[in-house]
Amino acid sequence: MEAIIAIAVCGFGLAMILGLYGMVIKTEIVSKAIFLQSVEINSIADEIGLALKDGSTEDQQEAIEVILESKYPDYELAGLRKDSQASLYHLEIIHKGENSMDKLFHIKVFWSQHE
């Protein structure tokens, strides 16, 4: 009888450990996806910040759309507006994700604006 109880306790403990292992694997997959997307968003922000030159808002919007279309086809510019601070612009970029799930990202970029 004691052996049966010991086996049951060991089996329960093993089931708990294997359940935690599965959760760790799922968490790692989600964390990796979030990390890779944040690296991509930071790359987009850096590239847009470096590529922008003086010009009107329409010129800037066209330049951003060219960058996104040529290098990041899964992303599109949803909005561009001037922030309350001088030379600070707020970009809204949509990522066309898998399973028809779109994600909206907000990026702030500084550039000199002369209209």
Side-chain angles (χ1 to χ4, degrees):
M1 186 61 137
E2 291 176 7
I4 293 173
I5 292 173
I7 291 172
V9 168
C10 288
F12 181 72
L14 186 59
M16 295 295 286
I17 290 172
L18 290 176
L20 289 175
Y21 184 70
M23 282 185 11
V24 166
I25 290 173
K26 288 178 187 177
T27 302
E28 179 187 2
I29 291 169
V30 169
S31 296
K32 185 176 181 180
I34 290 170
F35 173 75
L36 292 175
Q37 191 157 46
S38 69
V39 167
E40 192 169 40
I41 291 296
N42 285 330
S43 296
I44 290 170
D46 290 344
E47 196 160 339
I48 288 171
L50 291 173
L52 295 176
K53 306 262 190 259
D54 293 340
S56 67
T57 303
E58 292 80 22
D59 293 340
Q60 303 296 5
Q61 187 167 351
E62 287 178 28
I64 293 167
E65 289 171 352
V66 167
I67 291 169
L68 293 176
E69 288 174 8
S70 64
K71 296 185 179 181
Y72 305 97
D74 294 340
Y75 293 86
E76 68 180 40
L77 183 64
L80 171 64
R81 70 177 190 275
K82 185 172 179 167
D83 209 312
S84 59
Q85 295 179 342
S87 301
L88 179 63
Y89 288 79
H90 185 104
L91 298 114
E92 294 177 349
I93 296 178
I94 295 177
H95 178 253
K96 301 288 185 182
E98 299 172 4
N99 303 326
S100 300
M101 292 181 57
D102 295 348
K103 294 181 184 174
L104 179 64
F105 295 95
H106 301 272
I107 300 173
K108 292 195 176 185
V109 179
F110 282 98
W111 77 76
S112 179
Q113 185 73 19
H114 301 287
E115 292 192 32

